[in-house]
């Protein structure tokens, strides 16, 4: 019996005609095995950056920059259409939408130049254009393999709220729309090729799910059509024990639990967007991370329960460019509500907290935020606590940057005594100073704050605990 799969291709997997051909070969092979396939695609690699760069250039009046970026985007798609050998109608089916989207870009940039600022809503309208172009190329490449494939704009399928730049999918409505837009195609053995990253509000206003969000789209579509599995195709064999650009000798993991994957992704493993796990977990859909350029490799399976890996650790990650904010004072002891007020003040700045470090006494609160937000957060906290500061109940509100959060992940952490000890001994032996620590609430991760200068060395050093 055929199964139903979502195959999501990332930016490098559709970054050129050669890559798209590989992706289309994979789609065709899965279809020929008798399965139903829904494809979700990213923009061609680098295109989203070019688009958002155009918006920022328009705001600062750099008209020439906008023109150059637009030409570069057009060339990427035209060169790919040529290299795929698209002719006649098939060529029009791909390049007419590219021309239309670039005309939209030009209008949007003109408007931004007049306004002199870019709202989140405008940035989403611009950012979403990349997927709304690449989708036509990939659909054409699949059709070249004799399979009926149709480009589908996710604005028609993925219904979201209006939190622009990080829209939240409304799953009931998305499921209803998917039943109308996608199921008839799948049941007819045809392939919808859907824009990742993109959604729309009930009023039809285009939204995006956040940078790197097409992985999330893959899982949203998978949940909406009750897929048997979601395969995330990227440019590495799967999830590795650490970022291969930082550590040599990394290994590809065979399997991970949803919780482990979610911690790795949240704490900086770029291979998967952290929200991807949610829709999959809710419906129990396995996710497999695979390599477009090494299709026979089984990849990494993410399921309800991963193997225990002999009770060991699974991966080490880092979130860079962080700031450690400290609120301290003897007058905080036993005073209820200080933490609530502190986090309330931070929330009102629209900044999210990446990590909270539990203090053993009530005399200090430490947390981490993106270093770029440190200034506004300190100002907000000083306003919130000006009475306490005047009375010296709070003596210090300060930030330390740049620091890095290094996280070790493994489902066995909660059951294995001595993991924290091994971590500290390893870092101590390497002469690396730890400024703060926190254990993930899921108890499958331990996070440490180190100086930015020690980031790579810390990741390498802790990776030794996994490999060893
Ligand atoms: P895509 O465009 O396919 O979404 P991304 O660039 O977003 O691909 O993510 C894949 C990249 O993530 C890899 O090329 C790799 O460099 C990086 N990466 C970081 N940490 C890890 C990790 N732990 N395992 C695998 N890849 C990782
Ligand atoms: N194209 C989008 C980005 O670059 C989404 C994605 O590729 O996942 O952020
Ligand atoms: Mg990605």
């Amino acid at each position: 019996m055929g199964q139903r799969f979502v195959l999501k291709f990332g930016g490098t997997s559709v970054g050129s005609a050669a890559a798209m051909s590989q992706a289309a070969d994979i789609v065709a092979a899965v279809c020929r095995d008798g399965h139903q396939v829904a494809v979700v695609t990213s923009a061609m690699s680098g295109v989203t950056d070019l688009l958002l760069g155009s918006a920022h250039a328009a705001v600062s009046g750099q008209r020439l920059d906008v023109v150059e970026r637009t030409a570069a985007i057009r060339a990427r798609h035209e060169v790919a259409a040529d290299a795929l050998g698209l002719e006649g109608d098939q060529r029009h089916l791909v390049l007419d939408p590219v021309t239309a989207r670039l005309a939209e870009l030009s209008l949007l940039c003109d408007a931004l130049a007049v306004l002199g600022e870019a709202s989140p809503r405008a940035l989403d309208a611009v950012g979403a254009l990349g997927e709304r172009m690449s989708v036509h190329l990939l659909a054409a490449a699949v059709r070249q393999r004799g399979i009926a494939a149709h480009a589908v704009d996710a604005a028609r399928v993925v219904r979201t709220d209006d939190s622009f730049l990080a829209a939240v999918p409304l799953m009931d409505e998305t499921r209803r729309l998917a039943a109308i837009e996608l199921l008839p195609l799948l049941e007819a053995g045809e392939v919808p090729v859907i824009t990742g990253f993109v959604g729309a509000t009930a009023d039809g206003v285009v939204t995006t799910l956040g940078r790197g969000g097409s992985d999330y789209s893959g899982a949203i579509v998978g949940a909406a059509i009750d897929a048997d599995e979601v395969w995330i195709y990227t440019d590495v064999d799967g999830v590795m024990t650490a970022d291969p650009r930082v550590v040599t000798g990394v290994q590809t993991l065979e399997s991970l639990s949803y919780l482990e994957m979610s911690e790795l992704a949240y704490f900086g493993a770029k291979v998967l967007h952290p929200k991807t796990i949610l829709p999959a977990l809710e419906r129990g859909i396995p996710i497999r991370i695979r390599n477009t350029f090494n299709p026979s490799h089984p990849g990494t399976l993410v399921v309800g329960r991963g193997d225990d890996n002999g009770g060991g650790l699974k991966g080490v990650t880092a979130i860079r460019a962080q700031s450690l904010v400290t609120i301290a004072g003897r007058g905080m002891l036993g005073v209820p509500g200080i933490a609530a007020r502190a986090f309330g003040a931070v929330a009102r700045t629209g900044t999210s907290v990446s990590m909270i470090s539990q203090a053993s006494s009530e005399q200090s609160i430490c947390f981490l935020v993106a270093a770029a937000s440190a200034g506004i957060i300190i100002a907000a906290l000083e306003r919130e606590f000006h009475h306490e500061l005047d009375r010296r109940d709070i003596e210090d509100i300060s930030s330390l940057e740049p620091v890095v959060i290094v996280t070790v992940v493994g489902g066995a952490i909660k059951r294995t005594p001595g993991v924290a000890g091994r971590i500290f001994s390893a870092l101590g032996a390497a002469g690396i100073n730890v400024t703060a620590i926190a254990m993930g609430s899921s108890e499958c991760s331990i996070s440490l704050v180190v100086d930015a200068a020690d980031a790579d060395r810390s990741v390498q050093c802790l990776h030794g605990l996994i490999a060893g």
Side-chain angles (χ1 to χ4, degrees), residues 18-52:
M20 283 205 196
S21 299
Q22 300 255 31
D25 282 342
I26 291 169
V27 175
V30 181
C31 288
R32 292 211 178 91
D33 283 342
H35 303 300
Q36 294 182 7
V37 179
V39 173
V40 172
T41 184
S42 288
M44 296 180 83
S45 49
V47 166
T48 312
D49 286 340
L50 281 167
L51 287 164
L52 295 174

Side-chain angles (χ1 to χ4, degrees), residues 67-268:
V67 171
E68 281 170 10
R69 284 166 187 269
T70 308
I73 297 170
R74 184 186 300 281
R76 287 286 297 283
H77 293 83
E78 282 178 356
V79 166
D82 286 341
L84 285 173
L86 296 175
E87 287 171 349
D89 283 354
Q90 288 302 316
R91 194 179 162 80
H92 276 293
L93 267 177
V94 169
L95 292 183
D96 291 357
V98 170
T99 303
R101 298 286 87 84
L102 292 178
E104 243 177 89
L105 175 65
S106 168
L107 286 175
L108 284 161
C109 285
D110 286 347
L112 293 175
V114 173
L115 288 170
E117 66 174 350
S119 65
R121 175 175 168 157
L123 289 174
D124 271 358
V126 172
L129 294 171
E131 276 71 7
R132 297 173 71 204
M133 293 188 272
S134 65
V135 73
H136 297 283
L137 275 167
L138 186 57
V142 175
R143 283 195 295 270
Q144 286 181 319
R145 283 148 182 85
I147 288 157
H150 310 270
V152 175
D153 193 329
R156 288 182 9 224
V157 180
V158 177
R159 175 65 51 82
T160 70
D161 70 1
D162 63 356
S163 346
F164 296 103
L165 299 177
V168 178
L170 306 176
M171 285 310 294
D172 289 344
E173 190 55 10
T174 300
R175 215 174 151 73
R176 191 184 69 77
L177 293 169
I180 299 169
E181 302 283 342
L182 306 180
L183 291 188
L185 294 174
L186 292 170
E187 278 154 12
E190 303 187 357
V191 175
V193 181
I194 307 152
T195 54
F197 185 49
V198 178
T201 66
D203 298 333
V205 180
V206 169
T207 55
T208 73
L209 306 174
R211 292 306 308 269
S214 54
D215 299 328
Y216 191 20
S217 304
I220 293 168
V221 169
I225 62 171
D226 290 324
D228 291 293
E229 284 191 20
V230 173
W231 294 351
I232 305 284
Y233 276 95
T234 182
D235 55 3
V236 287
D237 283 342
V239 181
M240 295 169 175
T241 44
D243 187 337
R245 293 164 297 189
V246 176
V247 180
T248 48
V250 293
Q251 294 150 28
T252 305
L253 293 159
E254 223 170 275
S255 78
L256 282 165
S257 69
Y258 287 130
L259 217 59
E260 289 170 329
M261 185 67 240
S262 150
E263 297 280 283
L264 280 176
Y266 176 81
F267 285 107

